[in-house]
């Protein structure tokens, strides 16, 4: 692999950008001069529009693309529209994901398949259509997915989620092998406990200390005082991974978890 002179992170597409980690990534990339295609599902359209407005005030171009990442036709159209509106696609952040809390014994096939549809099929479809576009452009690129500390370490009560995030790592490694010849790197972030809606649980307030993130920490076998962080810590690693100088980092799932999982 070699640095590609024509690669620059000019246009990025971020899925699940209406809140949490996706929103923080979009804001950070905009601050660094990247134009943004913002995706989420229909119920989050307002939040997405507000974010787009915020990015435009920063002087960036921003478009909102409502799509369910688990539906192939919608992902295909989403990528096509991003390119139509913003001219190209250099960075794909396949961030959208969902969790389901239940023991294996209580997990229904429907719940299992829903988690896999969004977290695994959704990530694969975003990778697939972004890769196709970047290969066509011939200028390299960056593809980044969302794994998790739970994609490195099994946990009780979240088997479908853990299995799906392990799968994201396998998918990321395979695509990294396939795309090296095109100077496109493929990596994932593997966050620990990040304070977003995903880690908010009504059970948190039942605990003695009762703070946001406690239930997720409990699943990881961690006490309430274990490290957690705001979504900006993930935006920070993404901001690094999209830079031209990172051309030699590929196939990795980079832990950003305060040291919860050490490989
Ligand atoms: P979040 O706050 O729940 O945000 C995820 C966004 O994706 C939400 O707006 C969600 O909409 C949207 N979404 C759900 N299904 C979608 C679909 N089919 N198509 C498009 N968008 C969809 O989650 P987050 O905490 O920011 O997490 C972002 C990613 O990081 C996820 O993949 C998550 O698994 C991963 N992660 C998070 C943590 C953490 O501690 N927060 C740790 C490890 C990994 P709704 O909310 O309306 O469903």
């Amino acid at each position: 692999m070699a640095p590609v002179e024509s690669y620059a992170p000019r246009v990025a597409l971020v899925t699940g950008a209406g809140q949490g980690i996706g929103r923080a990534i979009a804001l950070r990339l905009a601050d660094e001069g990247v134009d943004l295609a913002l995706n989420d599902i229909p119920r989050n359209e307002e939040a997405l529009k507000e974010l787009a407005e915020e990015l435009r005030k920063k002087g960036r171009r921003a478009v909102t693309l409502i799509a369910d990442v688990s539906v192939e036709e919608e992902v295909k159209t989403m990528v096509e529209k991003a390119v139509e509106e913003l001219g190209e696609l250099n960075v794909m952040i396949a961030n959208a994901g969902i969790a389901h809390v239940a023991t294996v014994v209580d997990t229904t096939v429907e719940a299992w398949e829903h988690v896999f549809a969004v977290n695994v099929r959704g990530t694969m479809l975003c990778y697939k259509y972004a890769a196709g576009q970047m290969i066509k452009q011939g200028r390299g690129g960056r593809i980044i997915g969302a794994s998790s500390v739970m994609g490195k370490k099994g946990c009780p009560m979240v088997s479908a989620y853990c299995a799906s995030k392990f799968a994201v790592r396998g998918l990321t490694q395979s695509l990294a092998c396939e795309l090296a010849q095109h100077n496109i790197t493929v990596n994932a972030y593997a966050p620990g406990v990040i304070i977003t809606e995903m880690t908010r649980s009504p059970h948190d307030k039942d605990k003695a200390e009762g703070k946001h993130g406690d239930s997720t920490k409990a699943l990881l076998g961690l006490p309430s005082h274990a490290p957690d962080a705001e979504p900006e810590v993930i935006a920070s690693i993404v901001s690094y991974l999209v830079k031209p100088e990172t051309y030699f980092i590929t196939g990795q799932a980079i832990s950003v978890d305060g040291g919860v999982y050490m490989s």
Side-chain angles (χ1 to χ4, degrees):
M1 297 183 87
V4 183
E5 271 178 30
S6 56
Y7 167 75
R10 283 181 287 263
V11 176
L13 195 166
V14 183
T15 69
Q19 63 184 34
I21 293 172
R23 185 174 194 279
I25 292 170
L27 284 163
R28 175 67 180 256
L29 293 181
D31 283 338
E32 292 174 356
V34 179
D35 291 330
L36 268 306
L38 306 168
N39 156 267
D40 213 298
I41 42 183
R43 62 174 174 250
N44 302 320
E45 189 164 15
E46 265 324 295
L48 217 52
K49 282 185 177 160
E50 281 169 25
L51 176 60
E53 210 33 58
E54 208 173 326
L55 302 189
R56 288 185 200 113
K57 283 189 190 136
K58 291 176 183 285
R60 306 272 37 102
R61 292 185 297 159
V63 295
T64 58
L65 302 169
I66 295 298
D68 178 339
V69 296
S70 67
V71 180
E72 180 159 22
E73 206 45 47
E74 294 189 21
V75 176
K76 182 171 181 283
T77 306
M78 171 178 82
V79 171
E80 284 168 0
K81 279 199 180 147
V83 174
E84 210 175 286
E85 300 268 346
L86 300 173
E88 59 187 321
L89 183 66
N90 318 110
V91 175
M92 164 61 83
I93 313 291
N95 167 74
I98 58 170
H100 178 74
V101 180
T103 62
V104 173
V105 169
D106 288 334
T107 297
T108 62
V109 167
E110 290 73 21
W112 179 272
E113 288 188 343
H114 186 214
V115 171
F116 267 69
V118 177
N119 295 6
V120 186
R121 190 202 305 153
T123 303
M124 184 279 285
L125 291 171
C126 291
Y127 279 17
K128 170 178 164 154
Y129 285 99
Q133 176 62 28
M134 289 176 193
I135 291 169
K136 201 161 68 184
Q137 290 171 183
R139 293 193 294 277
R142 298 285 184 269
I143 295 177
I144 300 174
S147 182
S148 170
V149 63
M150 293 182 184
K152 297 193 173 187
K153 178 181 185 297
C155 295
M157 303 294 293
V158 278
S159 58
Y161 183 77
C162 281
S164 74
K165 294 300 182 179
F166 270 77
V168 168
R169 288 173 55 212
L171 171 66
T172 299
Q173 291 182 16
S174 291
L175 189 64
C177 297
E178 293 172 9
L179 296 187
Q181 61 182 311
H182 299 286
N183 295 300
I184 299 166
T185 68
V186 190
N187 292 290
Y189 41 85
V193 180
I194 307 296
I195 301 303
T196 68
E197 284 310 307
M198 183 172 275
T199 50
R200 187 188 298 284
S201 161
H203 303 301
D204 287 342
K205 65 178 182 318
D206 303 336
K207 302 254 169 56
E209 291 157 80
K211 61 182 180 52
H212 187 153
D214 280 2
S215 296
T216 310
K217 288 178 190 174
L219 296 176
L220 287 159
L222 299 170
S224 175
H225 59 76
D228 55 44
E230 297 297 324
E232 287 70 25
V233 298
I234 307 303
S236 168
I237 193 75
V238 168
S239 138
Y240 178 60
L241 286 173
V242 305
K243 290 190 193 319
E245 73 201 55
T246 64
Y247 69 91
F248 208 48
I249 302 174
T250 195
Q252 305 303 314
I254 299 175
S255 292
V256 183
D257 64 7
V260 171
Y261 179 88
M262 298 188 190
S263 55

